[in-house]
């Protein structure tokens, strides 16, 4: 007996459900469809079978327990075949190259050298508050610089970079181009014969090949410089140093493995930090509680750093809650189902080769898991009665308390770096400033609205109309920033 089809909204001939997927904030539509059709439903997107997962149980059953079948990535011809040639392993299919690059990257991230990374992250947090003190109105630019610079140190061992540093500018440009291409399907994905048109007659192909050359040159030059320095005995402890002795990857693969970490980690972490600022402006009571713990534990004579991690559970809870409440990727990064055979789940057939989307927003706001206040920003949901961290749905979320780092064999390899970055940056910002809404020319606060989002279909970020104001919490902030930077040989 053959398995029944999966339920799902009915669509039109040929294009299937395409028209129903227009617009933004699709996670709300997917929530409605989950209520109507159940936690695993089917869509046809111009002939492409697509499954949508709407609760933790199905996500775990399929993406974790049957990880061997559910760890591909949806095809994207321009991005994967031409721009990156399968070398950005976060976008690549679940082939041997992905497996080797992922394994080597994880090893390099866990290497002893990684003990150095918190030092880079501590310094970047101080540089961030310095910048916020000088030009607070440019807070989004400062947050972005701090993430990009911190990852240049962690991955390539470079000293802190300014916003205008040529390497930072060049790599940011590559990151934007690669992520934009990865996030959108194009005509050639639906009409693959178009890829046989020669490059001379095909603008997108020439553009994609140019991007490949630019990215290849940059990733190789950054990685080779580390190899050169390491061989000369000038240790620059970073992820790339951890790859030098690796025998499983070629030089090009090492260069693109480190490039992948940069591409996957930079915008993600910056977007997440961007949500923190207006969220704090809306919640002065929560700022106050975090600041009380900072004053009690750290005091006002020095700045917080990653050595304080275990002693600042309230800030740890803030990190978890911002990742849950406004996770920057409401659908994570889609997976795909192996094209070797149809799968059967609870008597229903999952077509081979389907794209697989998890409604991460839906899971992170599930009232059955987070309670009736799931839509509220409340870090205390992660604290027990003693004020210590308590992980909600630990099994389903692999100990994170939310699903924003993804699932199974594709889950984020940089979650440790990301959690530390968010922790120390949030701690230093709250130690230094009160954040509130900016005021207009008449002195009235400009309303903050985080119920609406900018949705670029891959990531979400706050509306630019949200403007926030930073006020120093006490007179000594500037002096302590100067002193902390001076101790590391950096200028104020
Ligand atoms: C707040 C920051 C971050 C968030 C929320 C985040 C989230 C994610 C998510 C949702 C995925 C896809 C998981 C899946 O397919 O199920 C992912 C993949 C990935 N992330 Fe992160 N990430 C962050 C920061 C980082 C950082 C800092 C790095 C590197 C240093 C990094 C490296 C990667 C890589 C390489 C992948 C691809 C894994 C693969 O396809 O095998 N991420 N991340």
């Amino acid at each position: 007996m053959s398995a029944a089809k999966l339920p799902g909204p009915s669509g039109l001939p040929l294009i299937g459900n395409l028209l129903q997927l227009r617009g933004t904030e699709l996670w709300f539509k997917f929530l409605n469809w989950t209520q109507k059709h159940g936690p695993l439903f089917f869509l046809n997107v111009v002939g492409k079978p697509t499954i949508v997962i709407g609760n933790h149980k199905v996500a775990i059953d399929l993406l974790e327990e049957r990880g061997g079948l559910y760890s591909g990535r949806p095809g994207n011809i321009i991005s994967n075949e031409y721009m990156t040639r399968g070398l950005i392993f976060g976008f690549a299919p679940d082939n041997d190259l992905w497996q080797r690059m992922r394994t080597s990257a994880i090893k390099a991230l866990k290497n002893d050298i990684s003990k150095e990374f918190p030092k880079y992250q501590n310094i970047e947090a101080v540089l961030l508050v310095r910048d916020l003190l000088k030009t607070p109105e440019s807070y989004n630019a400062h947050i972005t610089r701090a993430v990009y610079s911190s990852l240049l140190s962690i991955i390539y061992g470079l000293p802190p970079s300014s916003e205008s540093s040529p390497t930072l500018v060049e790599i940011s440009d590559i990151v934007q181009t690669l992520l934009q291409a990865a996030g959108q399907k194009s005509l050639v994905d639906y009409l693959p014969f178009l890829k046989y048109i020669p490059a001379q007659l095909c603008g997108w192909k020439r553009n994609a090949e140019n991007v490949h050359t630019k990215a290849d040159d940059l990733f190789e030059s950054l990685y080779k410089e580390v190899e050169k320095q390491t061989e000369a005995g000038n240790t620059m402890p970073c992820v790339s140093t951890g790859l030098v002795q690796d025998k499983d990857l070629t030089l090009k693969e090492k260069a693109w493995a480190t490039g992948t970490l940069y591409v996957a980690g930079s915008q993600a972490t910056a977007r997440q930090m961007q949500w923190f600022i207006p969220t704090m402006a809306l919640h002065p009571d929560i700022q106050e509680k975090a600041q009380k713990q900072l004053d009690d534990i750290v005091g006002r004579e020095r700045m917080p750093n990653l050595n304080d991690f275990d002693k600042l559970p309230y800030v740890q809870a803030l990190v978890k809650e911002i990742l849950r409440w406004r996770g920057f990727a409401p659908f994570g990064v889609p997976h795909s189902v192996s094209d070797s055979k149809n799968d059967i789940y609870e008597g229903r057939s999952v077509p081979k080769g389907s794209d697989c989307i998890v409604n991460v927003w839906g899971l992170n706001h599930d009232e059955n898991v987070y309670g009736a206040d799931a839509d509220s920003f409340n870090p205390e949901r992660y604290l027990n009665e003693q004020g210590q961290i308590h992980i909600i749905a630990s099994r389903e979320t692999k100990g994170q308390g939310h699903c924003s780092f993804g699932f199974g064999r594709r889950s984020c390899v940089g979650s440790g770096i990301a959690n530390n970055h968010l922790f120390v940056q949030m701690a230093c910002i709250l130690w230094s400033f009160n954040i509130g809404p900016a005021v207009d020319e008449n002195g009235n606060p400009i309303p903050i609205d985080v119920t609406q989002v900018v949705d670029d279909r891959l990531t979400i970020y706050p509306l630019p109309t949200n403007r926030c104001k930073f006020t120093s919490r006490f007179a000594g902030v500037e002096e302590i920033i100067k002193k902390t930077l001076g101790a590391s040989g950096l200028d104020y």
Side-chain angles (χ1 to χ4, degrees):
M1 204 180 73
S2 62
K5 280 185 177 172
L6 284 171
S10 48
L12 295 171
L14 294 176
I15 59 168
N17 303 100
L18 182 71
L19 298 182
Q20 291 149 293
L21 300 176
R22 285 180 308 178
T24 54
E25 304 193 359
L26 270 182
W27 51 93
F28 292 126
K29 188 172 271 182
F30 284 7
L31 277 173
N32 286 336
W33 282 341
T34 297
Q35 273 166 10
K36 196 163 166 200
H37 304 290
L40 181 62
F41 64 84
F42 179 84
L43 300 171
N44 162 4
V45 188
V46 200
K48 182 78 196 164
T50 304
I51 58 166
V52 180
I53 295 177
N55 74 12
H56 287 85
K57 180 180 180 323
V58 182
I60 294 292
D61 287 350
L62 300 186
L63 307 188
E64 302 280 347
E65 308 291 338
R66 301 186 191 180
L69 284 182
Y70 287 82
S71 299
R73 289 281 189 223
N76 179 321
I77 291 177
I78 295 185
S79 156
N80 207 37
E81 293 185 25
Y82 288 88
M83 276 190 186
T84 67
R85 300 190 189 162
L87 286 160
I88 290 284
F89 73 82
F91 308 159
D94 50 342
N95 55 17
D96 167 68
L97 179 60
W98 161 71
Q99 186 77 66
R100 283 190 296 110
M101 289 174 92
R102 183 176 165 102
T103 307
S104 291
I106 290 174
K107 259 194 237 156
L109 285 163
K110 288 196 171 144
N111 194 304
D112 260 5
I113 286 166
S114 65
K115 294 193 187 113
E116 301 294 317
F117 303 163
K119 289 185 201 153
Y120 308 146
Q121 295 179 307
N122 288 336
I123 281 296
E124 283 298 348
V126 187
L127 290 169
L128 172 67
V129 290
R130 174 202 65 184
D131 294 345
L132 290 172
L133 206 57
K134 288 185 177 176
T135 47
E137 62 289 352
S138 307
Y139 60 86
N140 278 333
H142 299 326
I143 282 171
T144 306
R145 185 214 63 78
V147 174
Y148 279 62
S149 171
S150 171
L151 285 179
L152 282 176
S153 303
I154 290 175
I155 300 173
Y156 299 113
L158 296 178
S161 305
S162 71
E163 205 183 327
S164 58
S165 122
T167 306
L168 191 140
V169 171
E170 202 184 341
I171 201 159
S172 317
D173 196 41
I174 297 275
V175 168
Q176 301 313 323
T177 309
L178 294 181
L179 289 177
Q180 204 178 1
Q184 62 198 26
K185 293 247 187 204
S186 38
L187 195 58
V188 61
D189 290 308
Y190 300 107
L191 305 171
F193 64 86
L194 291 175
K195 72 180 176 182
Y196 299 107
I197 299 174
Q200 300 91 301
L201 305 175
C202 191
W204 65 259
K205 225 183 220 188
R206 287 195 304 277
N207 177 46
E209 283 167 0
N210 285 340
V211 172
H212 180 82
T213 308
K214 254 171 95 178
D216 192 53
D217 288 349
L218 180 64
F219 295 155
E220 280 205 14
S221 73
L222 285 165
Y223 176 74
K224 276 185 184 162
E225 182 58 23
V226 177
E227 265 203 3
K228 198 170 105 193
Q229 297 295 339
T230 310
E231 275 154 22
N234 303 330
T235 44
M236 304 197 309
C238 59
V239 177
S240 298
T241 349
L243 277 177
V244 171
Q245 298 302 327
D246 183 290
K247 299 276 183 280
D248 296 327
L249 300 182
T250 63
L251 187 138
K252 187 175 284 298
E253 289 163 0
K254 289 178 187 181
W256 280 80
T258 47
T260 301
L261 294 177
Y262 200 93
V263 170
S266 47
Q267 196 195 62
T269 315
R271 287 264 189 272
Q272 212 54 71
M273 275 302 297
Q274 279 170 12
W275 276 113
F276 174 68
I277 305 299
T279 303
M280 285 300 97
L282 267 183
H283 295 95
D285 50 327
I286 290 174
Q287 280 184 74
E288 223 174 276
K289 288 182 186 169
Q291 286 163 337
K292 169 148 188 354
Q293 192 163 79
L294 285 160
D295 284 345
D296 288 350
I297 301 295
V298 178
R300 293 189 172 188
E301 302 295 315
R302 67 166 181 94
M303 296 187 68
N305 60 52
L306 280 161
N307 288 332
D308 300 311
F309 191 90
D310 292 338
K311 289 167 274 166
L312 295 172
Y314 202 93
V315 183
Q316 289 183 50
L318 271 180
V319 171
K320 292 195 179 298
E321 183 67 344
I322 200 76
L323 281 159
R324 180 195 75 83
W325 190 64
R326 288 294 180 271
F328 87 101
F331 299 120
V333 182
H335 290 212
S336 72
V337 185
S338 158
D339 51 15
S340 61
K341 64 174 173 71
N342 293 343
D343 190 26
I344 295 178
Y345 181 67
E346 298 194 337
R348 306 281 186 153
S349 173
V350 177
K352 61 185 174 186
S354 297
D355 287 356
C356 170
I357 298 172
V358 183
N359 188 0
V360 171
W361 176 288
L363 269 57
N364 278 342
H365 289 75
D366 187 341
E367 290 191 2
N368 295 317
V369 177
Y370 295 101
D373 75 336
D375 281 338
S376 312
F377 183 79
N378 174 20
E380 284 167 46
R381 71 178 76 253
Y382 289 110
L383 297 173
N384 63 18
E385 278 173 9
Q386 290 72 43
Q388 294 305 313
I389 284 287
H390 136 77
I391 307 288
I392 301 165
S394 185
R395 188 186 86 84
E396 292 82 353
T397 65
K398 296 269 168 177
Q400 298 284 353
H402 55 74
C403 295
S404 298
F405 288 121
F407 304 90
R409 300 181 188 192
R410 283 287 182 170
S411 63
C412 180
V413 304
S415 56
I417 289 179
N419 278 329
N420 278 353
H421 184 97
L422 298 178
F423 173 90
V424 71
Q425 300 250 330
M426 291 179 184
C428 282
I429 291 174
L430 291 177
W431 181 89
S432 310
F433 303 105
N434 289 318
I435 305 171
V439 290
D440 65 17
E441 58 281 10
N442 301 318
N444 298 318
I446 302 170
I448 303 275
D449 178 5
V450 289
T451 56
Q452 298 198 44
V453 305
V454 183
D455 173 7
D456 68 11
R457 311 272 295 186
L458 193 64
T459 69
I460 54 166
Y461 51 97
L463 297 178
T465 44
N466 288 308
R467 299 301 308 155
C468 300
K469 187 177 82 179
F470 290 74
T471 315
S472 283
R473 283 184 63 225
F474 53 94
V477 168
E478 188 175 11
E479 262 326 294
I480 294 174
I481 296 172
K482 278 185 184 162
K483 216 170 81 189
T484 318
L485 287 176
S488 298
L490 291 164
D491 291 336
Y492 176 69

